[in-house]
Each structure stands twice: as C-alpha cells, then as structure tokens.
Amino acid sequence: MRIYISADMEGITGLVDAEDVQPGGRDYERGRLMMAEDVNAAVRGALAAGATDIVVNDAHGPMRNLVPETLHPEARLIRGKPKHMGMLEGLTPEHDAMICVGYHSRAGTLGVLSHSFMGHEIEDIWLDGMPVGEIGLTHATAAALGVPMVALTGDDSACAETLAWDDSVSTVAVKSAHDRFAAELRPAAEARQAIEKAVAAGLSDTGKAPRRAATSDSSTLRVRWQSASVASTLLGIPSVTSVDSRTVQAEGQLPTLYRLFGVWMRVAASLTGQGPYC
C-alpha cells in the first residue's frame, strides 16, 4: 500500500500566528518541530494500517520546513522548490491514498491563518463554479489521478471545509479557531494520538484505501486576484481568458490545470514580490 502525505503548516498542532510558520519568525523553529510530530503521527497511523511505502511532500512556503532527521525513518521526504505540482509534487496514480496534514481553510473564512495559496494576493478561487481553496483543489486534483484523500488534519474550520467537499474523509481538528490568529489548542499528545488513530482507521476501513477512477472530464478554474495588473499579465498565457478586470479563468483537465495554476502563481509572485506560501 503506497501512501502520499502532503504536509502544510498553518493547520499544525499548536500553531496560530505567522511567527509560528514563516522562516525568521520568533517561534518558527519550534513550529518546524511541531510539524514533524504531526506528520510522524500520520506516518505511524499509515504503518499501522499496513502501508509499505510512504512519501511526504513538504508543501508549505519555502517547502524546506521539515528537518529531514526529525522525520519518521520509514518515510521519504520531497523537499525544496520549485515544484511543478507544488503541494502535490510526487503524487501519482500508483499511490493508493493521500493524507493531508496541517491544512487550513480557504481565503475569507474565519479559520486559523486562512488564505488560498498566496496570502492576500488571491481573493477567491472557483473550480467548476464551486468556491475552493487549497483543500478543494488538492482533493479534486488527487481524485482526477484516481487517488482518494482519506484523512486531513487542521483546525475545525479546515475540517468543516473538507467534510463539505467530501464527507468520507476522516478529519482531525487539532485546534478550534477563535479568530484568524487565535485558537483553543488541543493538547499535543492527544492531538497526535487522534491523528494516528484517524489515519489508521481511514486506511483500514476496507483493508486498503478505496480506489477511484481517474477522470478525463474538463474543468474550469477561475481566480480573482487583488491586483488587476496580475490578471492582465496572465492573459498573455495561451488558454487564459478574462472574466473581469481582476478575474481570469482557464479550462482543461486536472492535473494539467493544477500545474497551470502553479504558473499563474509564479507570474503573480514576480509582479508582486509575494511568493506562494500555501
């Protein structure tokens, strides 16, 4: 059983502020260790369910947050950037299931450190008319490859967003949002035990994560940016069309559309100086 883990940082146990998750922040080094502990709990759960191959993709900001020697020895790490598939680098149809650790809710929601990929630069994202953030777009891209998301950890807002998208996913709320930079924290030991248990249960329900048929259906991805200049510049990319002065869209199949969105973010970063921090 081959398992893929995508690890973000804002939804990690105990973390509530940019100082916890951004390099140079006062508590960033502690945040890196907290991230490793949540990921390791997911790895232990996967191993308990019979996983024979586990790869972890460091999916936050610079994508060099996880210190390799703090990671469980049974897991391999994808680290650094650029990555053509960003938060899903290394995911293939050969994986039996995907687990998302430390995820957060989309821009505009009252969740801990909520945003969609680029902090304040992206206002809204829609996939086939449905509002999405990192959770929805990640889930849809994995499903297009035939890989189910079986478990997700984050705050209560991220968990609610996940279940609204797919109520079959096992979710673990490691904190309850009081505001965007405040939360009631679940005790760390309890949170990690819950992560391990949820991952094992999600993978063991049928003895193996249920497979899904890969889809060839075309989708429409629409993004509203803060900057009209970003939207205007993106129109120079073939297949990108304008919806209004700050909104662009493109049609295509996932995961190709997901890769194209990664190009949009790199263009936006070059114009605004704000890199994707996911």
Side-chain angles (χ1 to χ4, degrees), residues 79-96:
R79 191 170 190 259
K81 61 193 311 184
K83 296 172 177 172
H84 294 302
M85 285 295 288
M87 299 181 78
L88 294 178
E89 185 75 10
L91 180 66
T92 72
E94 285 70 41
H95 285 103
D96 294 293

Side-chain angles (χ1 to χ4, degrees), residues 225-245:
W225 305 86
Q226 280 279 357
S227 168
S229 178
V230 170
S232 175
T233 302
L234 291 175
L235 295 178
I237 299 175
S239 81
V240 179
T241 60
S242 176
V243 177
D244 58 44
S245 63

